[in-house]
């Protein structure tokens, strides 16, 4: 789980858009850049080379 205060200040390093937490996948999602950043041991890994690209369906949610 991500601390709500931390989540409120995190932005995507690529698009600078806000991110949202996906509890099921334990990722931070940025729809603007189409990337999902992993959260490992409660720590967001906000590196572009560690992110995965969102599927078309995920982008539309």
């Amino acid at each position: 789980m991500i601390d709500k205060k931390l989540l409120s200040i995190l932005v995507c390093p690529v698009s600078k858009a806000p991110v949202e937490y996906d509890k099921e996948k334990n990722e931070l999602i940025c729809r603007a850049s189409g990337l999902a950043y992993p959260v490992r041991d409660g720590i967001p890994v906000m590196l572009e080379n560690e992110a995965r690209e969102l599927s078309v369906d995920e982008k539309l949610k």
Side-chain angles (χ1 to χ4, degrees), residues 4-43:
K4 289 183 181 188
K5 190 172 187 174
L6 175 61
L7 187 57
S8 72
I9 61 171
L10 284 175
V11 296
C12 172
V14 175
S15 67
K16 308 300 186 241
V19 294
E20 57 188 71
Y21 181 62
D22 182 336
K23 192 185 303 184
E24 288 180 17
K25 294 182 180 174
N26 200 33
E27 295 177 323
L28 294 174
I29 306 293
C30 177
R31 301 208 190 282
S33 65
L35 296 173
Y37 299 93
V39 177
R40 298 188 186 126
D41 298 322
I43 300 169

Side-chain angles (χ1 to χ4, degrees), residues 28-59:
L28 294 174
I29 306 293
C30 177
R31 301 208 190 282
S33 65
L35 296 173
Y37 299 93
V39 177
R40 298 188 186 126
D41 298 322
I43 300 169
V45 181
M46 303 299 288
L47 300 171
E48 184 178 1
N49 65 336
E50 292 285 326
R52 70 172 182 86
E53 287 192 37
L54 296 176
S55 68
V56 173
D57 290 339
E58 289 175 310
K59 289 179 184 178

